[in-house]
Amino acid sequence: MKKGYSFALAILSLAVLAGCNKAPEQNSTIVAQNKQAAAQENVMQEITAPVANKIPFAMTIHDDTRIDNYYWMRDDERQDPAVIAHLNAENNYTEAMLKHTESLQARLFEELKGRIQKDDDSVPTKRGQYYYSSQTRGDNEYPTYVRSSDVKGSDQQVILDVNELAKGHDYYAATGLSVSPNGNLLAYGEDTVSRRIYTILVKDLSTGKLLEDKLEGTDGDIVWANDNKTFYYIKKDLQTLLGYQVYRHTLGTSQAADELIYEESNTSYYTGIGKSKDQQEIYIFHASTSASGVSILDANDVKAHPKRLIEREENLEYSIEKLADTYYIVTNLNAVNFQLMKVHKDKAHDKANWQTVIPARDEVKLEGIDLFANHLVYKEREMGQSRLTVRNLTTGAEQQLRFNDSSYMIHAYGNNELDNPNLRVYYTSMTTPGSSYDIDLNTGDKTLLKQQQVVGEFNADNYASERLFITARDGVKVPVSLVYRKDKFNKDGTNPLLQYAYGSYGATMDPSFSSGRLSLLDRGFVFAIAHIRGSQMLGRPWYEDGKLLNKKNTFNDFVDVTKSLVSQQYGAPDNIFAMGGSAGGLLMGAVANQAPELYKGMVAAVPFVDVVTTMLDASLPLTTNEYGEWGNPNDKVYYDYMLSYSPYDQVSKQAYPNMLVTTGLHDSQVQYFEPAKWVAKLREFKTDDNKLLFKIDMEAGHGGASGRFKSLADTALNYAFILDLAGIKK
């Protein structure tokens, strides 16, 4: 830092000398500027980064001992005065270092907020006898959920006003809204801490009063049995935060009296619950990173116990949809990229009875299906692009749904009724705001129900999107989605560029629209999504080639995409930025260690950076069921490999980019102490004067602040950090 300010003062001194022969008023101005700069220098000299205490903590496994000097920062209760004091010091330092961007942050916040339609309604979706939707009004942070007996909303009833519930809470989240089959009761989960541990409450929709039932320590979701007084829910392990027990609750009874009907003994599996579209079956879903399955209960029998469709098998994945007495099964059975099979429900227990409906293909991944009384809708992905196809189950005739953009995201949603004549879809691209369509299942005719309104002077024609394939170091071609403003883009290597990626868990980041992103594009930025290995953008093999002992492909792809975008002059070599969150934050950390010279700045949000220590600790949330993604470091092969890329362990004495790291004290996914330790170690080792800032939301968790406007302040902070480094002050 000192070198930078000395250089600034030297330039200022030359300016003063050069101004000695100017008019008196000009000399006065220069002197005033000199005093102001000197004052700023004195202020900045008083701002010092927090230096964390070093308390060696030894960890030995496989005859290898690692010394973690910052292990003391872990406080599971989040009450240790020394830890809280250190985090507050980090926040104070970040605030001081970014104080000169406050006006820019405020301007960005108003821009972001100004593009959002304050009074907004979602498109109603039918479930049972009612149409359900949500509303946001004025400056309200949260939605109000409503329903009516017709799609026009002529007799609209408020079923839950989250704004009222959130009063008095720094954080509030409502989830899992579920109305009983007769439409009289609403169950929902609430979290006021941001640990994703929910309390389930039940509201009588005829009186507006809460019932006495109150279920603690759950994942927030419930499924009603068909008697309207029984429901199923999942209870969490409060240490690991894994939902692993399924209970049956009867209204009017205490939680202590609830019946445990399923307990997951294998900690590598997640547990979920759901219900068939015909409302006749209740499902318990079992899913690890490499296998999945389902257990089934009769929704009409409140004494039923779950039965596995088939016994679970390692590396066998499947999901089911029910139509009459037939199960349609999306599975990887003899199909790397999945296939669709069907079987009579009474014969499903034997895979030999499963019959192929859509066969497996090497270059096309089957991603999912939606069933209707007379139609099958299936989603595929080929060469990185998803598509929907409608098949008439009587005639076998098919029609593929087509849209104008060359690259886009599309998915079906809200299709709750088997006899619905239309398919509801959500569609967006990097230049097309989110749009809801109803598509006639017989004719394919599309009806636009709503397109996300971008308040202000937005014109989609001002922006352009491209899809590239960039060759990585091992010859594999990596898809990249780009967007920029046409009149600001030169393709001459002068534009600042922000590159984003995730690259884990098979999660595919399709190109989609962001009104917030316009604040960057309108200032000349190019925005790129690198669809690196670890996602399923190019099918299931794309995921397998970016996990476990192939994980480094993810980092190499990101670096190689950056180099190619610079060489193709999409971005200025001295103005390249990177951003990623959670597992994408691990990506940021690995890339910062591997190729720091490529990036002027990085934003790492809730970053998973202490991979080895976390994966060795089964008491931490979401560790054991991540073994299929990262490997189990109790096995030396995985230990050695993970250690070789772990961002925290691989911090070294070198120059690092300017970095903004963010987290939430109550994060349930990536514990706050991972980025806290990482920042402390980076400060100890880095050899540069670049900014290293750490922002901790002391009230929030993994998803950041609650509320539609509060979260925009986080975005404004991230953007201001990037724009300031890019030399864009307005």
Side-chain angles (χ1 to χ4, degrees):
M1 188 181 299
K2 292 181 179 178
K3 290 181 180 178
Y5 280 102
S6 297
F7 178 76
L9 287 175
I11 295 297
L12 184 57
S13 298
L14 290 174
V16 172
L17 289 172
C20 287
N21 296 322
K22 295 185 181 293
E25 64 271 16
Q26 289 177 303
N27 285 333
S28 298
T29 300
I30 292 172
V31 169
Q33 290 173 341
N34 185 16
K35 290 180 178 179
Q36 183 179 6
Q40 289 177 343
E41 167 74 0
N42 291 333
V43 170
M44 293 303 293
Q45 285 179 342
E46 295 174 3
I47 302 173
T48 57
V51 177
N53 291 331
K54 294 171 65 174
I55 305 175
F57 182 83
M59 296 173 286
T60 301
I61 188 173
H62 306 305
D63 295 323
D64 180 54
T65 298
R66 292 179 299 134
I67 303 298
D68 187 348
N69 289 321
Y70 304 107
Y71 190 88
W72 65 268
M73 290 185 181
R74 174 178 175 175
D75 172 29
D76 291 349
E77 301 302 318
R78 291 157 172 77
Q79 294 177 353
D80 186 303
V83 172
I84 299 301
H86 178 74
L87 298 181
N88 284 331
E90 288 284 7
N91 275 339
N92 292 336
Y93 176 68
T94 295
E95 182 179 359
M97 292 297 290
L98 291 179
K99 189 169 185 60
H100 67 287
T101 71
E102 284 182 351
S103 61
L104 177 58
Q105 289 183 52
R107 190 179 308 116
L108 287 165
F109 178 81
E110 291 303 322
E111 277 183 26
L112 298 169
K113 185 177 179 180
R115 295 193 191 100
I116 296 175
Q117 187 177 0
K118 288 191 174 184
D119 294 341
D120 196 15
D121 295 359
S122 69
V123 179
T125 58
K126 190 172 186 294
R127 183 180 288 276
Q129 56 188 317
Y130 293 100
Y131 290 86
Y132 293 87
S133 61
S134 64
Q135 301 174 338
T136 49
R137 294 289 181 266
D139 290 325
N140 283 347
E141 291 282 357
Y142 301 94
T144 298
Y145 294 96
V146 300
R147 72 178 182 183
S148 59
S149 59
D150 60 48
V151 72
K152 296 180 180 178
S154 56
D155 56 352
Q156 197 170 88
Q157 174 193 10
V158 173
I159 62 173
L160 199 70
D161 185 347
V162 183
N163 297 284
E164 289 298 319
L165 299 175
K167 287 181 178 178
H169 297 290
D170 293 317
Y171 177 92
Y172 189 88
T175 191
L177 278 67
S178 181
V179 176
S180 59
N182 62 10
N184 294 338
L185 301 169
L186 169 68
Y188 64 95
E190 70 171 12
D191 173 16
T192 59
V193 179
S194 189
R195 286 288 282 171
R196 299 186 183 180
I197 302 173
Y198 296 90
T199 298
I200 292 173
L201 304 170
V202 182
K203 181 178 180 181
D204 186 325
L205 293 178
S206 61
T207 66
K209 304 295 185 182
L210 288 177
L211 304 187
E212 292 185 1
D213 303 73
K214 190 174 184 179
L215 310 181
E216 308 279 1
T218 82
D219 76 348
D221 290 330
I222 75 106
V223 174
W224 289 94
N226 288 340
D227 69 344
N228 298 293
K229 62 181 181 181
T230 304
F231 62 75
Y232 299 83
Y233 67 94
I234 297 173
K235 198 168 183 180
K236 284 192 168 186
D237 182 310
L238 298 184
Q239 176 64 37
T240 66
L241 300 188
L242 275 177
Y244 73 112
Q245 293 175 321
V246 180
Y247 280 89
R248 178 161 44 217
H249 176 75
T250 302
L251 294 177
T253 64
S254 69
Q255 185 174 12
D258 291 349
E259 181 183 5
L260 175 65
I261 65 161
Y262 179 82
E263 182 168 350
E264 181 56 69
S265 59
N266 187 333
T267 55
S268 67
Y269 276 84
Y270 291 100
T271 302
I273 51 178
K275 199 172 187 181
S276 60
K277 193 181 283 192
D278 66 6
Q279 305 298 302
Q280 298 307 299
E281 292 183 340
I282 292 170
Y283 301 135
I284 300 175
F285 303 114
H286 321 289
S288 72
T289 54
S290 59
S292 62
V294 63
S295 297
I296 302 168
L297 299 97
D298 184 343
N300 299 298
D301 180 2
V302 296
K303 296 186 180 300
H305 283 80
K307 295 181 180 179
R308 292 252 170 94
L309 183 78
I310 59 170
E311 288 303 310
R312 292 196 309 219
E313 299 178 24
E314 190 63 30
N315 299 317
L316 174 65
E317 299 178 59
Y318 70 90
S319 60
I320 66 172
E321 297 287 341
K322 181 176 178 289
L323 182 60
D325 290 329
T326 299
Y327 290 137
Y328 284 77
I329 306 171
V330 177
T331 179
N332 68 345
L333 178 65
N334 302 320
V336 172
N337 267 329
F338 291 76
Q339 63 172 319
L340 180 63
M341 309 186 82
K342 70 176 182 178
V343 65
H344 190 280
K345 62 191 298 277
D346 295 337
K347 298 180 178 180
H349 61 279
D350 186 350
K351 297 194 299 294
N353 296 322
W354 296 7
Q355 301 173 342
T356 297
V357 178
I358 299 175
R361 287 148 297 168
D362 290 339
E363 304 302 325
V364 181
K365 181 176 184 289
L366 178 65
E367 295 194 323
I369 65 169
D370 225 313
L371 282 169
F372 297 84
N374 298 305
H375 294 87
L376 162 70
V377 179
Y378 58 95
K379 183 178 180 180
E380 302 172 305
R381 186 180 297 273
E382 184 174 15
M383 289 298 292
Q385 180 58 63
S386 57
R387 61 177 180 242
L388 291 174
T389 302
V390 180
R391 175 183 292 186
N392 187 303
L393 290 173
T394 302
T395 66
E398 291 191 345
Q399 53 181 324
Q400 191 178 119
L401 305 183
R402 301 189 180 280
F403 293 86
N404 293 330
D405 294 297
S406 59
S407 179
Y408 55 84
M409 178 179 79
I410 187 170
H411 63 82
Y413 81 99
N415 297 290
N416 306 311
E417 308 295 313
L418 284 168
D419 60 356
N420 196 327
N422 298 315
L423 169 72
R424 175 71 54 80
V425 303
Y426 178 84
Y427 173 89
T428 181
S429 74
M430 296 185 88
T431 58
T432 305
S435 309
S436 291
Y437 288 90
D438 266 353
I439 300 175
D440 189 299
L441 288 165
N442 290 305
T443 66
D445 293 339
K446 296 192 288 287
T447 301
L448 178 62
L449 303 174
K450 178 185 177 181
Q451 184 172 87
Q452 172 192 346
Q453 182 179 349
V454 182
V455 180
E457 300 178 352
F458 170 74
N459 182 348
D461 292 337
N462 291 336
Y463 305 88
S465 177
E466 296 184 35
R467 167 63 66 89
L468 308 176
F469 281 87
I470 287 174
T471 303
R473 65 192 67 182
D474 60 357
V476 170
K477 294 186 180 299
V478 180
V480 179
S481 298
L482 290 162
V483 64
Y484 47 81
R485 181 166 173 139
K486 295 176 185 176
D487 60 354
K488 301 282 187 179
F489 179 60
N490 305 311
K491 202 178 180 183
D492 60 357
T494 61
N495 287 86
L497 182 145
L498 173 60
Q499 183 175 313
Y500 167 84
Y502 186 73
S504 293
Y505 302 105
T508 301
M509 303 297 159
D510 278 306
S512 60
F513 184 81
S514 165
S515 64
R517 193 187 298 143
L518 299 176
S519 290
L520 295 179
L521 305 184
D522 290 349
R523 288 172 170 84
F525 262 79
V526 175
F527 180 81
I529 304 176
H531 304 291
I532 53 184
R533 279 173 279 189
S535 74
Q536 297 187 77
M537 179 58 75
L538 296 182
R540 188 51 177 260
W542 198 245
Y543 173 36
E544 300 295 338
D545 210 21
K547 63 188 284 196
L548 297 174
L549 299 176
N550 294 320
K551 190 62 203 171
K552 290 181 184 178
N553 286 334
T554 300
F555 318 137
N556 294 342
D557 286 354
F558 191 90
V559 169
D560 293 346
V561 165
T562 300
K563 290 178 178 178
S564 181
L565 291 177
V566 169
S567 68
Q568 295 184 61
Q569 297 190 304
Y570 281 98
D574 59 348
N575 243 348
I576 304 296
F577 299 85
M579 179 182 287
S582 194
L586 179 150
L587 170 68
M588 295 297 99
V591 168
N593 286 332
Q594 177 181 334
E597 73 283 355
L598 295 180
Y599 305 96
K600 188 166 191 176
M602 282 186 171
V603 176
V606 292
F608 174 43
V609 285
D610 192 11
V611 186
V612 179
T613 304
T614 293
M615 296 304 295
L616 280 169
D617 190 344
S619 72
L620 287 172
L622 312 179
T623 290
T624 55
N625 50 359
E626 304 284 310
Y627 288 157
E629 178 72 22
W630 311 101
N632 183 348
N634 291 292
D635 181 334
K636 189 175 187 304
V637 171
Y638 288 108
Y639 174 84
D640 290 341
Y641 188 77
M642 294 164 69
L643 188 62
S644 72
Y645 69 73
S646 171
Y648 183 63
D649 293 284
Q650 294 303 318
V651 169
S652 64
K653 287 191 177 297
Q654 64 174 343
Y656 281 89
N658 295 282
M659 300 179 76
L660 172 62
V661 182
T662 65
T663 193
L665 180 63
H666 300 284
D667 197 322
S668 59
Q669 311 297 107
V670 178
Q671 306 301 300
Y672 76 89
F673 44 82
E674 289 201 34
K677 295 195 309 177
W678 182 47
V679 168
K681 190 172 182 180
L682 281 168
R683 284 225 177 88
E684 177 187 353
F685 279 82
K686 73 193 204 74
T687 60
D688 57 84
D689 291 327
N690 290 331
K691 293 186 176 79
L692 175 57
L693 308 179
F694 188 29
K695 177 72 167 63
I696 309 100
D697 190 323
M698 303 299 281
E699 306 295 338
H702 198 65
S706 60
R708 61 172 177 158
F709 295 132
K710 286 182 181 178
S711 61
L712 296 180
D714 296 335
T715 303
L717 177 73
N718 294 340
Y719 284 3
F721 173 76
I722 292 170
L723 290 168
D724 182 58
L725 290 173
I728 301 172
K729 307 300 181 182
K730 295 182 179 181

